[in-house]
Amino acid sequence: MTDDRRFGAVAAITGVRHPICVARSVMGKTDHLILGGRHAVRFARLCGMKYHDPRTLEKQRAWRRKRKTLRSAYFKKLADVAELYGTVGVVALDSAGRLCVGTSTGGIALRLPGRIGDTPVPGAGSYACRHGAVSATGHGEEILRLLLSFRAVSLMARHAAPVAGTKAQAYATEHGCKCGLLGIDRRGRIMCVNNTKSMSWCYVKDGSLRTFKQKSD
Ligand code: ASP
């Protein structure tokens, strides 16, 4: 999503290597915002993206291991199992002052087939406007309920990114939402907060890269 409200997403897509590239094509080549399921896959093929099977042996082993350790019914324990999350988010501010955000996920492990999380939904997994851009990771159902990215970006209308992040995280915690937020405001100030066990992040400014692994506050 860009700060002029251009948006593209795909949901419930399989068999492509970089779903975010398909999402970019939805934004650039169609009049729609979100494509889902087999039609999203078809669209990807039309855009020239070849079949890719993302199931590595390592991932299959991890999936089996996680399935054994989850004793309770589907999703009841999910909020407590940080390792089940796996999302990459990016926010950027360019030299012309334009902001944008992208978020890509394999979804929470052990979800039901057909489940759509927060990531492809504007305002939930990603949001950008002239005040800032935010990408969310964590328990998608709760992020959706709170429209967390939208909330965090809206807070940037009045607060610098770090303060907006603290407020958004407090709101998420108060509502039992396990998540992490990555953001940037129009002056280039950075938001990175999480109440999950940990979150890795990095930023590049003036050509130099800094990396962090942040425990929850
Ligand atoms: N938010 C993603 C989802 O619920 C998971 C993640 O952030 O790793 O599908």
Side-chain angles (χ1 to χ4, degrees), residues 84-87 105 107-108 115 117-119 136-141 143:
L84 291 178
Y85 307 133
T87 291
T105 189
I108 288 181
R115 176 252 190 196
D118 56 305
T119 305
T137 179
H139 193 168
E141 280 68 16
I143 295 170

Side-chain angles (χ1 to χ4, degrees), residues 148 151-152 155-156 158-175 181 191 193:
L148 207 52
R151 178 168 286 267
L155 283 163
M156 288 191 206
R158 283 186 293 123
H159 305 283
V163 178
T166 306
K167 287 181 183 289
Q169 187 198 359
Y171 180 78
T173 304
E174 189 188 317
H175 290 83
L181 297 170
M191 161 191 297
V193 290

Side-chain angles (χ1 to χ4, degrees), residues 29-208:
K29 297 184 180 168
T30 80
D31 294 321
H32 307 307
L33 298 191
I34 309 175
L35 291 182
R38 67 192 165 92
H39 297 292
V41 177
R42 223 175 130 215
F43 175 74
R45 302 287 176 257
L46 285 172
C47 294
M49 293 174 219
K50 304 260 177 298
Y51 175 77
H52 171 79
D53 183 352
R55 290 171 300 180
T56 59
L57 279 178
E58 190 191 350
K59 277 189 189 162
Q60 289 179 42
R61 271 190 221 115
W63 184 81
R64 278 192 214 100
R65 213 171 41 237
K66 283 169 187 168
R67 198 171 55 163
K68 273 192 205 134
T69 56
L70 272 190
R71 270 154 295 143
S72 62
Y74 243 90
F75 269 39
K76 291 251 171 73
K77 288 268 185 198
L78 215 45
D80 298 329
V81 192
E83 311 87 70
L84 291 178
Y85 307 133
T87 291
V88 178
V90 60
V91 290
L93 170 70
D94 73 8
S95 54
R98 286 174 300 212
L99 292 147
C100 70
V101 53
T103 309
S104 182
T105 189
I108 288 181
L110 309 183
R111 66 199 175 279
L112 288 172
R115 176 252 190 196
I116 293 173
D118 56 305
T119 305
V121 179
S126 306
Y127 198 73
C129 71
R130 67 191 171 88
H131 304 302
V134 168
S135 171
T137 179
H139 193 168
E141 280 68 16
E142 300 306 329
I143 295 170
L144 271 165
R145 275 191 249 271
L146 303 179
L147 284 180
L148 207 52
S149 293
F150 177 72
R151 178 168 286 267
V153 168
S154 300
L155 283 163
M156 288 191 206
R158 283 186 293 123
H159 305 283
V163 178
T166 306
K167 287 181 183 289
Q169 187 198 359
Y171 180 78
T173 304
E174 189 188 317
H175 290 83
C177 173
K178 293 266 185 186
C179 63
L181 297 170
L182 196 66
I184 191 164
D185 67 23
R186 63 184 183 277
R187 295 208 200 141
R189 293 167 299 201
I190 291 164
M191 161 191 297
C192 184
V193 290
N194 65 296
N195 59 14
T196 51
K197 280 183 195 158
S198 67
M199 185 163 91
S200 302
W201 65 288
C202 70
Y203 72 81
V204 180
K205 202 170 180 178
D206 302 328
S208 62

